[in-house]
Amino acid sequence: MIFFEINNPGLFLVCVLIFFVAVFLRYLVSAGIFYWYYYRLKSEKFSNKRLSKRGFRKGQLKKEIYWSMWSSVIFGFFGALTYFLWQKGFTEIYLELEKFGLWYLPVSFILLSLLHETYYYWVHRWMHNPLVFKKIHKVHHDSLVPSPWTAFSFHPWESLLEAIVVPVILLFLPVHPIVIGVYLIFMTLSSVINHLDIEIYPEAFIKSRFGKLFIGATHHHFHHAEFKTNFGLYFTFWDRLMNTESRSRISSE
């Protein structure tokens, strides 16, 4: 059932606004909870667990929220665009659970994650090309020490590159709205946790064979510290395959 038919530019703009509010609130709530808990409520407990020795730059957090707001506008636009394309039958989004069965829900989540990971790894490496870095990726790396608010802090051009991949995947990969919703929450929480600058995963998990497959705050900390390593989004396999994983991160294990 289509609850909100987009049949003119005005309604499309309304849809963009709705998606923007949803995205920006998700960011504010997620980043805000982690920042409040780790940097305010339990600051004394976690101060010695900070991965970076230096503190945040003056005005850094405000700038991160500013850029994140514009990122949310772009994410909201592509969310509305995806909704419109679904209405017109251009996507593989389906509503009937029985069409593929319940078993396909986690499978589609994994496929979506792996496709996104592959795209992100190579685009991320490209954005570190000196000719590209200053124009697109520098805004994100102005946060030499990442914070939870860094999660969506991108230049608009980078936000565009970030926003386009999932809609494109949905043009050919069948995915149920339940999976899309869970994936969007997972994507936001993962980004916030990876930029926390405090490792929250248990040491036993991080050092386990299974845990080494996943990216956490420690892994991404070395990316912000070294710039030329650890380009992955959720998983470490591309960094391992392409020999771009930080030696510092490996030795710390």
Side-chain angles (χ1 to χ4, degrees), residues 15-16 28 37 56 75-76 79 82 84 111 115 126-129 161 169-170 177 179 184 192 204 212 219 222 232 234:
C15 194
V16 170
L28 290 176
Y37 182 79
F56 300 133
F75 295 159
T82 304
F84 172 78
L111 290 174
L115 289 170
W126 172 75
M127 288 192 295
H128 276 263
N129 182 303
L161 292 170
I169 292 173
L170 294 177
V179 174
L184 292 175
V192 169
K212 288 180 181 180
H219 190 277
F222 286 113
Y234 309 123

Side-chain angles (χ1 to χ4, degrees), residues 81-115:
L81 179 62
T82 304
Y83 184 77
F84 172 78
L85 292 174
W86 168 67
Q87 286 188 340
K88 300 303 178 182
F90 292 114
T91 74
E92 291 299 318
I93 299 171
Y94 66 97
L95 299 182
E96 301 80 13
L97 286 171
E98 61 273 12
K99 184 174 183 178
F100 293 98
L102 294 177
W103 67 271
Y104 182 69
L105 295 180
V107 171
S108 62
F109 183 93
I110 294 170
L111 290 174
L112 180 58
S113 301
L114 293 176
L115 289 170

Side-chain angles (χ1 to χ4, degrees), residues 63-147:
K63 288 181 180 178
E64 290 173 342
I65 295 173
Y66 169 80
W67 287 114
S68 297
M69 178 191 67
W70 286 111
S71 296
S72 297
V73 171
I74 294 171
F75 295 159
F77 172 83
F78 277 92
L81 179 62
T82 304
Y83 184 77
F84 172 78
L85 292 174
W86 168 67
Q87 286 188 340
K88 300 303 178 182
F90 292 114
T91 74
E92 291 299 318
I93 299 171
Y94 66 97
L95 299 182
E96 301 80 13
L97 286 171
E98 61 273 12
K99 184 174 183 178
F100 293 98
L102 294 177
W103 67 271
Y104 182 69
L105 295 180
V107 171
S108 62
F109 183 93
I110 294 170
L111 290 174
L112 180 58
S113 301
L114 293 176
L115 289 170
H116 192 177
E117 178 71 38
T118 299
Y119 168 87
Y120 181 84
Y121 174 84
W122 290 104
V123 168
H124 195 182
R125 283 192 64 175
W126 172 75
M127 288 192 295
H128 276 263
N129 182 303
L131 297 176
V132 178
F133 182 85
K134 289 184 179 180
K135 295 181 180 180
I136 297 179
H137 199 42
K138 182 179 180 297
V139 164
H140 186 69
H141 275 281
D142 280 343
S143 301
L144 295 177
V145 177
S147 79

